[in-house]
Every structure is written in structure tokens, then in C-alpha cells.
Amino acid sequence: MDRIFSVEGAQALMPEARAKVDELIELRADLAELGYDLKTSGISPRGGLADAKGLEARMSEIVSWFADQGIELKGIAPVLIDFPAVRHGVSVRLCWIEGEAELAWYHRSELGFAGRRRL
């Protein structure tokens, strides 16, 4: 069964989610730089192919953490997460995108990001 969040429950999970997002952003940048360097010159101050594989593995662990919590990771550049919820009897997603200060938006599940409204 899919997890359904209350606004309070999702907001309580945000500090841990933000820590994971911060790490994901750092890994994303490291992997982009490393991959570019390896493709263009074959060397990188960030390491080699084994280091890239390690970064990918850690990113996969973080992605799995979101899924294990019942949080939907919709994108990683920028990071966009949705918490399944119900508002006024309607299926919604409490949504947060990289750069926002807090979890303060939702949208109907079938509308996606374009249907965002303030909580």
C-alpha cells in the first residue's frame, strides 16, 4: 500500500529529506564534472571511472531512501519531490522543488506541477 502523508507528517520529514537532497545535489555536480572531464580529456581531479561508479551508487542509495519513505522523487535536476496526500477528499501531491525554503505547495495528483497551489 502506498503511504499517504498528512501536511504535518510531510513537513516533519522535510529536514531529513533536505539533508538527502543536499547530498544528492553535491553528488549530481560531482558526477557531472567527473563525467565531462573523463569524456573530454580522459582525466579528472575528481577521480576516474571507479569514482564515478561510487558516486552513481551513492546517488542510487539516496533515490531508494525517498522511495522507501513513500516520497516520490520526480526529478534530480532540479530535485522535485512529491508526498502523496489527500486534501478535502481529493488525491493530491504535497510538492517541494529544489530552492524552496519549505514545503508549502500542493497540486492535484492528475495535474502535476502546472496545477500547483499554496497550502
Side-chain angles (χ1 to χ4, degrees):
M1 176 178 266
D2 293 331
R3 183 172 179 184
I4 302 297
F5 289 88
S6 65
V7 171
E8 298 79 17
Q11 289 173 334
L13 197 51
M14 279 303 296
E16 191 173 1
R18 291 288 299 268
K20 298 291 185 187
V21 166
D22 289 346
E23 186 178 358
L24 188 59
I25 291 168
E26 186 73 22
L27 290 165
R28 178 185 74 196
D30 288 348
L31 188 57
E33 187 176 317
L34 176 57
Y36 178 82
D37 289 346
L38 292 178
K39 284 180 185 174
T40 58
S41 66
I43 59 170
S44 175
R46 298 232 173 252
L49 186 56
D51 299 290
K53 295 295 183 190
L55 293 171
E56 290 171 348
R58 181 62 188 136
M59 286 180 75
S60 180
E61 290 172 2
I62 294 171
V63 167
S64 293
W65 178 87
F66 283 100
D68 292 346
Q69 302 305 310
I71 302 169
E72 299 170 356
L73 181 62
K74 298 295 187 166
I76 64 165
V79 177
L80 174 61
I81 57 176
D82 283 349
F83 297 82
V86 174
R87 267 180 80 80
H88 311 294
V90 176
S91 175
V92 300
R93 296 299 188 262
L94 308 172
C95 59
W96 178 88
I97 191 167
E98 181 180 325
E100 291 181 339
E102 62 186 0
L103 179 65
W105 297 86
Y106 77 98
H107 57 79
R108 287 182 15 198
S109 297
E110 66 275 9
L111 296 179
F113 194 83
R116 288 180 99 206
R117 297 181 181 275
R118 283 211 172 268
L119 286 173

